[in-house]
Amino acid sequence: MSLEDLHLNLRNLTSDDYEQLKSLMDAVYHDIGGAWPKHTIDKLIQEFPDGQIAIEDDGVLVGVALTVQVDYDEFSNPHKYDDLIGHREIILNDPEGDAMYGLDVLIHPDYRGYRLGRRLYEAATPLLVHFRARSWAVDGDIECLPQRAHSNE
């Protein structure tokens, strides 16, 4: 399959996507328990819909980025991923949080190599300015934003 064969659409994830998301998460995370439960994903979508981004090819979900808002002071210090996801069914999203935390970026194994993860990351980046976030944490690493991101420009 070449890049020209793909019919990609970037959009926000919805609750109706759960069955496809479950299949995607089960394929990617088969060795660590597979998909999160539907109520967990629904809570993410309800609490921070802008942070849940999907890529589909001809209507089939092939990539997802899941993001939450967190308190910078709490999550800029050393912490474990489990501090954020609780008991794997409750993901802590702080609507008053001043930082964003990238929980997951998943790409279907058949679609790797097309830079879809980069597209998802780039789609999430404008949220930092929109929500006036102090930082962006991905894989537990905190990336501080330039002061300009906090301006009204």
Side-chain angles (χ1 to χ4, degrees):
M1 172 170 44
S2 71
L3 189 57
E4 293 79 33
D5 295 329
L6 302 178
H7 299 94
L8 301 175
N9 181 38
L10 184 73
R11 61 176 177 78
N12 288 101
L13 194 65
T14 70
S15 185
D16 292 339
D17 293 317
Y18 182 74
E19 288 307 314
Q20 287 192 57
L21 176 62
K22 181 179 183 327
S23 294
L24 177 60
M25 291 183 94
D26 286 344
V28 173
Y29 294 141
H30 61 89
D31 57 340
I32 58 170
W36 286 335
K38 185 173 188 327
H39 69 269
T40 301
I41 299 300
D42 286 345
K43 187 173 185 278
L44 279 175
I45 292 168
Q46 179 185 9
E47 291 183 357
F48 191 38
D50 293 332
Q52 317 322 314
I53 304 170
I55 292 180
E56 59 185 5
D57 180 25
D58 271 336
V60 176
L61 204 63
V62 298
V64 172
L66 304 173
T67 308
V68 293
Q69 296 167 287
V70 297
D71 180 278
Y72 175 82
D73 291 331
E74 183 176 351
F75 287 96
S76 63
N77 297 319
H79 66 281
K80 296 177 187 167
Y81 185 71
D82 287 347
D83 295 340
L84 187 64
I85 63 168
H87 298 298
R88 206 175 134 74
E89 290 190 13
I90 300 170
I91 299 171
L92 305 175
N93 180 67
D94 179 357
E96 301 300 318
D98 58 353
M100 287 179 39
Y101 196 107
L103 292 169
D104 278 311
V105 173
L106 335 158
I107 304 298
H108 190 282
D110 294 343
Y111 285 81
R112 293 182 182 157
Y114 295 108
R115 302 177 61 105
L116 301 184
R118 180 179 180 90
R119 289 182 190 203
L120 288 165
Y121 180 81
E122 288 172 352
T125 301
L127 295 174
L128 297 166
V129 175
H130 179 75
F131 288 99
R132 304 177 70 76
R134 287 176 60 187
S135 67
W136 173 242
V138 180
D139 292 332
D141 296 325
I142 297 290
E143 178 181 318
C144 291
L145 300 175
Q147 189 61 32
R148 190 180 79 176
H150 304 292
S151 72
N152 290 328
E153 298 175 32

